[in-house]
Amino acid sequence: QAAFASLGQRLNAAADVETAGRIIVDIADELFGWDACSLDLYDAATDLCHPVLTMDLVNGQRAEVPAAYTDKAPSPRMRRIMEAGAELILREEVAGMMPGLIPFGDDNRPSASLMFVPLRDDHKVIGALSIQSYRLKAYGQADLQALQALAEYCVGALDRIRSRELQQASEEKFQNLFESSPDAIVVATRSGIIHAVNRQAEKLFGYTRAELVGQVIESLMPARFGPGHVAQRERFHHNPHLRSMGEGRDLWARHKDGTEFPADISLSPITTAEGL
């Protein structure tokens, strides 16, 4: 109970999955002790496992070691654990690696006691946690149940952190594509208020981002084209066919210095958390 007391706060403060993984295995060490451990996350959409943390005793010192794989389909044992539940393995004697286990770290010293638990809640499985000892009969069924309780307690936080990381990676990828595009991109609300622009748009129109954001998009074209663009934008928002394919129009645009130049405008829908 003492070990679990601060666990939620520590996990909520974790900035990434790897940090959360270290917190979890530290608690497992406090509760049970271990000589080796591994934490893997599972993506059901791709049916791939990703190693987050792998540790072992190397030359008498506990250290992070390279995982035995990068992203790959679950091994038969891991798939069974994720589907059927936790497993406790107590070897009577240690004579070589157990069949079906993927060795990591110091593979000249096989584990004698092993606990595997799925990281799952009522809705989905997101991975598996394993702690191992070189001592014979180091763990019992009560330990296995406690480790499963620890894993279940951590699932929600791990899933939130992983989702946040994936969202951040997606946003960074979008931002990189947005900024590196050779075309001028202007993101505007349905009412035509400019929400964001890329570097090429600044260069093309001669305005800075600060000058453009919050202005109406019609300010980037000669006044005579404004009403037609407003009507076209409304048709775009109400026509499902146009919404899916976009539509190009030949128009004239206007530079900050008043110079007019021909431009091809293509409208494409984008939905954000704010509903823009």
Side-chain angles (χ1 to χ4, degrees):
Q1 290 177 347
F4 276 49
S6 65
L7 180 57
Q9 291 182 340
R10 293 174 64 189
L11 286 176
N12 287 334
D16 50 58
V17 167
E18 187 174 341
T19 300
R22 289 196 182 94
I23 293 170
I24 294 167
V25 300
D26 283 348
I27 295 295
D29 188 35
E30 181 180 337
L31 292 172
F32 316 106
W34 49 260
D35 297 316
C37 71
S38 65
L39 174 66
D40 299 82
L41 292 185
Y42 173 69
D43 182 6
T46 60
D47 192 34
L48 293 177
C49 288
H50 173 71
V52 173
L53 189 64
T54 308
M55 300 185 71
D56 192 14
L57 286 179
V58 180
N59 298 322
Q61 299 293 321
R62 184 177 286 175
E64 290 188 36
V65 297
Y69 63 92
T70 52
D71 292 338
K72 63 174 292 184
S75 66
R77 181 179 296 277
M78 186 166 182
R79 196 177 295 279
R80 182 174 69 246
I81 290 164
M82 291 193 300
E83 293 176 354
E87 289 188 10
L88 170 65
I89 300 174
L90 301 176
R91 305 181 70 182
E92 294 297 328
E93 58 180 23
V94 182
M97 280 290 171
M98 281 188 60
L101 293 182
I102 301 175
F104 60 84
D106 184 2
D107 54 12
N108 292 316
R109 190 178 182 186
S111 298
S113 305
L114 308 91
M115 291 196 291
F116 298 90
V117 295
L119 295 165
R120 69 181 181 188
D121 57 19
D122 294 336
H123 307 291
K124 61 182 176 180
V125 178
I126 67 165
L129 169 67
S130 167
I131 65 171
Q132 307 174 19
S133 173
Y134 293 139
R135 295 182 296 110
L136 293 172
K137 299 181 180 180
Y139 309 124
Q141 285 295 330
D143 298 314
L144 185 66
Q145 293 173 4
L147 184 63
Q148 181 64 72
L150 172 64
E152 291 174 356
Y153 186 86
C154 298
V155 165
L158 277 173
D159 199 29
R160 286 194 302 273
I161 295 169
R162 180 174 66 169
S163 296
R164 187 174 64 221
E165 286 186 328
L166 291 173
Q167 181 179 357
Q168 289 172 346
S170 177
E171 289 174 352
E172 289 174 4
K173 182 179 179 181
F174 171 80
Q175 191 64 28
N176 289 335
L177 291 172
F178 182 70
E179 291 295 347
S180 62
S181 172
D183 296 322
I185 301 176
V186 178
V187 180
T189 66
R190 179 170 178 172
S191 59
I193 303 299
I194 296 175
H195 182 72
V197 298
N198 66 351
R199 284 191 294 265
Q200 192 63 23
E202 290 181 292
K203 181 179 177 181
L204 182 66
F205 294 105
Y207 293 93
T208 66
R209 291 169 202 252
E211 290 174 318
L212 287 173
V213 172
Q215 300 299 317
V216 292
I217 197 169
E218 287 77 34
S219 63
L220 299 180
M221 62 188 66
R224 63 185 181 277
F225 290 103
H229 183 267
V230 172
Q232 173 65 14
R233 190 173 67 239
E234 284 302 309
R235 285 196 296 271
F236 173 78
H237 281 293
H238 288 93
N239 190 319
H241 179 64
L242 294 179
R243 176 176 290 276
S244 65
M245 64 178 285
E247 182 175 344
R249 297 187 67 212
D250 291 325
L251 293 171
W252 285 80
R254 185 175 62 82
H255 193 271
K256 181 180 180 180
D257 63 11
T259 305
E260 297 183 6
F261 57 93
D264 181 71
I265 297 178
S266 178
L267 302 177
S268 299
I270 183 171
T271 302
T272 71
E274 296 82 8
L276 303 177

